[in-house]
Amino acid sequence: MEAYSETTASYLPLEMSESVETDPTVPAFSKISLPAKITLTAHLDKERPLSEPRWVKSGDVQEWLRSMFGRMFWVAGDAAEGWEKKIEVADPDPAPTIWTILEAWAQNSTVGQLTERQRFLRTHMTETDNILEILLRLVRGERATTQPTPAVAAPNIAGPLLSALSPGAAHGAQQTHVSLAVLAIFRIAVEYAKKASPENGKNEVEERAGEIIRSLPQHLLYKSLDGIFKEWKMEKKGGGGK
């Protein structure tokens, strides 16, 4: 049994003495015959509540336990069959996805109207290639304007770069050699994932690609989305408007 030490700011083994055994605040676990069923009752201090730990939202209580007990304790297997691996958060917040970023952008961007941005997400950003365009715009070094970077001429594209370009892709005409190379690498990943897992391979690669894009700095993501949205808006207006 361990107790928290204010001096060392860590948990230390509790020496069992007569005073400890008679202390009503110390559970008499040492006197329990195993196996045993124990009910723990927790009382919340509503007047002075503690801040909500991050693991309560994320559900990653194991990460918090590792930080408390040390990584070597975990890796050594001492927690393999213990209570530590049996704790789980019943109702954590959903893990963030690329759509978490898209919806946050729709709420916070100052470009266009909220209803337009929401329609843009529902109609344009449901395609995987358009999600990838968030990254590809940054690869091409484009700003959040309606003037795209000059693309390479079609005759100059061949081999894997040409096959990476989907027929009728919304942003195909804007791609450069470098952005097409990035797109080709994604196509290769999808190809091999489908061979390894015909049912789920493609979806898994798309999800992982979304995680990579989501990990980029927010200001870059918003800049890229602003640019894509402006082009989409102009296209819907037939090239007119501001």
Side-chain angles (χ1 to χ4, degrees), residues 60-225:
D60 192 7
V61 65
Q62 309 301 331
E63 183 65 31
W64 176 74
L65 288 171
R66 274 193 290 270
S67 69
M68 295 295 294
F69 292 100
R71 181 176 178 276
M72 293 311 298
F73 165 80
W74 214 261
V75 174
D78 295 335
E81 301 298 332
W83 57 267
E84 296 86 353
K85 289 293 182 70
K86 298 178 181 179
I87 297 179
E88 63 180 52
V89 179
D91 188 24
D93 289 351
T97 66
I98 185 62
W99 277 93
T100 308
I101 292 293
L102 296 179
E103 290 166 359
W105 166 82
Q107 292 294 326
N108 299 318
S109 178
T110 58
V111 180
Q113 301 297 319
L114 175 60
T115 54
E116 291 179 316
R117 296 193 297 271
Q118 291 174 332
R119 185 167 67 253
F120 163 73
L121 295 186
R122 293 194 306 269
T123 60
H124 190 71
M125 298 305 291
T126 53
E127 295 290 334
T128 300
D129 278 12
N130 295 339
I131 295 291
L132 293 173
E133 179 63 14
I134 299 173
L135 172 62
L136 298 178
R137 283 185 68 92
L138 299 175
V139 170
R140 298 195 300 269
E142 294 181 12
R143 299 180 179 274
T145 66
T146 55
Q147 301 299 324
T149 299
V152 294
N156 296 329
I157 305 174
L161 299 186
L162 182 60
S163 61
L165 199 57
S166 299
H171 303 279
Q174 299 167 230
Q175 304 307 326
T176 64
H177 284 102
V178 177
S179 64
L180 283 175
V182 174
L183 197 55
I185 293 173
F186 172 79
R187 305 288 191 224
I188 292 173
V190 170
E191 178 184 346
Y192 279 91
K194 289 170 68 175
K195 290 180 180 178
S197 177
E199 293 184 0
N200 302 319
K202 182 175 183 292
N203 290 336
E204 290 181 5
V205 172
E206 291 175 351
E207 288 178 6
R208 295 296 295 273
E211 290 178 10
I212 293 172
I213 295 172
R214 181 176 60 83
S215 300
L216 295 173
Q218 178 178 288
H219 73 280
L220 294 179
L221 294 172
Y222 281 21
K223 180 182 76 170
S224 186
L225 283 165

